[in-house]
Amino acid sequence: MTEDLVTFETAQLAKEKGCIIETSQRMMPYYRTNKKQGSCEFNSLQGIDCRNPKIIDCFAYTQALLQKWLRKKHGINITISMGNELQGMMPFYPWDSFEELEDKDSVKYAYILHNAKGESDMSQNKFDKYEDALEEGLQQALKLIKS
């Protein structure tokens, strides 16, 4: 099992918003200007160690790492809700099982953005996969940041 990387579009938006995340990862995934993925050595003391850093457009952080950056740096927390047509949406927790849901095949996910002021906003769109809901939530959270 691997962690999902953000899409090229999300990575570009994160870069525009000034996202630079120091990480202990030795190899740092990135997107090239042609939208293809690659990876290069990353040293927080020396920066990027790539043969040709000009080909890097933006780093491809994991969804979890970008989610944490948004929470710590900008006070924007993203949570995911799940549900179906019969029971509506409810908070999703990693330890939840689908046992409570009557129609497991119709499960959908939605993101909720929470800010430091205690305000929240739930997405109108529903997604088939948790990761898709999180990706959309990341993009919407990044758009809230004033450049």
Side-chain angles (χ1 to χ4, degrees):
M1 187 178 301
T2 60
E3 290 194 53
D4 285 10
L5 298 177
V6 297
T7 62
F8 178 75
E9 291 74 19
T10 304
Q12 276 190 317
L13 192 54
K15 178 184 174 184
E16 288 171 18
K17 300 300 181 172
C19 179
I20 298 173
I21 303 173
E22 298 236 354
T23 177
S24 59
Q25 287 180 257
R26 180 159 182 206
M27 298 303 285
M28 190 67 187
Y30 64 87
Y31 286 107
R32 297 179 182 171
T33 52
N34 61 4
K35 298 186 181 184
K36 292 189 177 176
Q37 285 186 3
S39 92
C40 62
E41 284 214 37
F42 182 79
N43 181 322
S44 61
L45 298 175
Q46 298 173 344
I48 306 163
D49 180 20
C50 291
R51 290 191 181 112
N52 186 359
K54 291 181 182 176
I55 64 171
I56 297 174
D57 189 53
C58 46
F59 286 110
Y61 299 115
T62 64
Q63 288 181 329
L65 201 55
L66 184 55
Q67 183 180 22
K68 184 176 182 179
W69 179 80
L70 286 162
R71 186 177 65 248
K72 299 274 185 184
K73 180 99 174 156
H74 295 281
I76 302 171
N77 191 24
I78 303 167
T79 57
I80 304 299
S81 290
M82 63 180 253
N84 60 24
E85 302 255 341
L86 297 173
Q87 292 161 292
M89 300 304 285
M90 63 186 104
F92 175 81
Y93 301 103
W95 55 85
D96 279 347
S97 68
F98 294 109
E99 299 306 315
E100 299 86 32
L101 295 174
E102 295 169 19
D103 183 7
K104 295 169 187 58
D105 293 333
S106 68
V107 171
K108 299 287 183 196
Y109 298 91
Y111 64 86
I112 305 172
L113 302 179
H114 309 270
N115 65 24
K117 297 176 187 172
E119 302 164 333
S120 63
D121 184 35
M122 183 179 211
S123 69
Q124 297 301 309
N125 295 333
K126 305 298 182 259
F127 301 88
D128 292 329
K129 292 174 28 183
Y130 178 99
E131 293 78 11
D132 293 343
L134 180 55
E135 185 75 24
E136 180 69 19
L138 291 168
Q139 288 181 5
Q140 294 307 315
L142 288 163
K143 289 176 184 176
L144 293 175
I145 299 170
K146 295 185 179 18
S147 300

